[in-house]
Amino acid sequence: MIYDQNYQIIPFFFLFTIIFDSSLRLFQKYWKDFGNLDPHVQIQFVSRVVSCINALVITLAAAYVLLTDDKLYANKLVYTSPILTIAYNLVFGYLLYDFLCMLWYRNILFDWQFVLHHLVSSIACFISTNYGYFAFIAAIRSLSEASTLFVNMRWFLLSFNKKNTQIYSINGLVAFITFGLVRIVALIPIWRSFFQFFSFPQWNSIHFTYKLLCIGTSVPLDMLNIYWFYRICSIVSKTYKLKTV
């Protein structure tokens, strides 16, 4: 059954599109340092600003639900709430906007890694929004957006040649810790919960297709996060090695 809440995807899509377009125009007009950047870098910069807005909202929504919603813990396998529904539709709207943005600016933004990420995330959002399956796992995975803020901040600082500043070093360390916690350490409760679901009464009521989709979207997403974390570790390692030389 497809719920009427799916209509929220469209306004969220247009919201992110408007934010991108208006931010690009305003930054170019009123921000001198931004105007001095290469046009391609400007597109990437604003794209990451929109990414940060989505990441901040989703992280706060997921954290709020995980900290305050007792019903989620009592119904880890199948559960929906108004906050989660809005949050997942917002993510869906953002993913649609970002995918189309990558196609429009394909020579600047297109990346197959992000296409894969957006595809599996969209499937997960659709299942969680319309059926409420694997609710606890989806909520924890939503926290992973917290790391996006610091990863994007590193890119912003590099764009303005702030690599040799203290704030760059601090942000790199925070990005490393945050990414490790919300995307790598979080795999423990995620997969532990998944295997615990086998003993839940509702498990047999979930069609095999959705169980397969849960595994099929989780495995590539986890592999991608592990690869990204490896890259972050390499960057942090090189940064601190250079400082000790």
Side-chain angles (χ1 to χ4, degrees):
M1 175 179 179
I2 307 302
Y3 296 144
D4 293 337
Q5 291 97 325
N6 284 139
Y7 79 89
Q8 297 169 350
I9 296 171
I10 298 175
F12 284 137
F13 162 76
F14 282 110
L15 174 63
F16 285 119
T17 303
I18 292 170
I19 291 175
F20 175 87
D21 184 67
S22 59
S23 296
L24 181 60
R25 294 173 186 272
L26 289 172
F27 289 170
Q28 289 173 334
K29 186 174 183 180
Y30 296 108
W31 191 356
K32 183 179 178 180
D33 290 338
F34 181 84
N36 293 331
L37 295 174
D38 181 87
H40 285 193
V41 176
Q42 292 181 4
I43 297 297
Q44 291 178 295
F45 191 102
V46 177
S47 175
R48 289 177 182 270
V49 168
V50 179
S51 170
C52 285
I53 294 172
N54 171 72
L56 180 61
V57 174
I58 297 307
T59 299
L60 292 175
Y64 177 80
V65 170
L66 287 166
L67 290 172
T68 65
D69 196 340
D70 294 333
K71 292 181 180 179
L72 173 63
Y73 292 92
N75 304 276
K76 288 184 176 182
L77 180 54
V78 183
Y79 179 70
T80 58
S81 75
I83 294 178
L84 288 176
T85 297
I86 293 173
Y88 296 147
N89 278 325
L90 183 141
V91 173
F92 218 146
Y94 168 76
L95 294 173
L96 177 60
Y97 138 80
D98 199 49
F99 176 69
L100 294 179
C101 200
M102 282 194 289
L103 293 180
W104 186 263
Y105 297 104
R106 55 187 174 276
N107 294 328
I108 305 172
L109 299 177
F110 192 86
D111 188 324
W112 280 109
Q113 292 181 31
F114 287 108
V115 172
L116 173 62
H117 172 272
H118 287 12
L119 176 62
V120 297
S121 296
S122 296
I123 295 172
C125 284
F126 178 82
I127 294 173
S128 297
T129 301
N130 293 289
Y131 303 99
Y133 297 157
F134 314 107
F136 183 69
I137 291 177
I140 294 182
R141 286 200 179 279
S142 297
L143 282 180
S144 66
E145 287 301 317
S147 63
T148 301
L149 298 169
F150 303 103
V151 171
N152 283 340
M153 179 57 69
R154 173 184 177 274
W155 192 93
F156 295 147
L157 292 170
L158 286 174
S159 298
F160 289 113
N161 299 314
K162 302 293 183 181
K163 185 175 182 178
N164 296 320
T165 62
Q166 185 177 18
I167 189 172
Y168 178 85
S169 299
I170 294 173
N171 179 77
L173 183 60
V174 174
F176 168 74
I177 295 172
T178 305
F179 197 103
L181 288 174
V182 300
R183 292 183 185 258
I184 305 302
V185 176
L187 296 180
I188 298 173
I190 285 173
W191 285 103
R192 182 177 61 189
S193 297
F194 179 80
F195 289 113
Q196 287 176 343
F197 290 159
F198 294 173
S199 62
F200 281 35
Q202 307 102 313
W203 177 257
N204 292 329
S205 66
I206 298 176
H207 196 278
F208 176 75
T209 301
Y210 298 109
K211 298 173 185 175
L212 187 62
L213 282 174
C214 180
I215 298 174
T217 56
S218 294
V219 171
L221 192 61
D222 292 342
M223 292 177 65
L224 196 58
N225 282 328
I226 291 171
Y227 169 70
W228 284 341
F229 188 60
Y230 167 77
R231 290 181 59 182
I232 291 174
C233 289
S234 299
I235 293 170
V236 172
S237 177
K238 289 178 182 178
T239 300
Y240 283 92
K241 279 182 180 179
L242 288 173
K243 288 195 170 186
T244 56
V245 172

